Amino acid sequence: MKVELNVDGKQIPMNKFVQKIVGSTIKGMIETLDDVGAWKKLEIKISNEE
């Protein structure tokens, strides 16, 4: 599993351990949703709107 994190256009480096934790956590949450089947790529965007 490869996980990339970009914050305001800047790529944040993560070692394999952190990638595994972040990826596995998000994967577990997404796969519990009823409408999600088999997938190859997942993208999440979060905006900090005030």
Side-chain angles (χ1 to χ4, degrees):
M1 179 181 307
K2 181 177 181 181
V3 177
E4 294 180 6
L5 174 62
N6 293 290
V7 177
D8 293 333
K10 179 182 177 186
Q11 186 169 4
I12 307 300
M14 293 186 286
N15 63 32
K16 293 288 183 185
F17 177 72
V18 174
Q19 287 184 47
K20 186 173 181 179
I21 290 172
V22 172
S24 296
T25 301
I26 293 172
K27 180 181 175 197
M29 290 186 294
I30 297 301
E31 290 180 349
T32 63
L33 300 174
D34 291 335
D35 294 335
V36 177
W39 57 273
K40 293 182 182 181
K41 183 176 181 179
L42 169 71
E43 293 181 322
I44 298 176
K45 290 186 177 186
I46 301 172
S47 297
N48 188 13
E49 297 179 12
E50 297 180 22

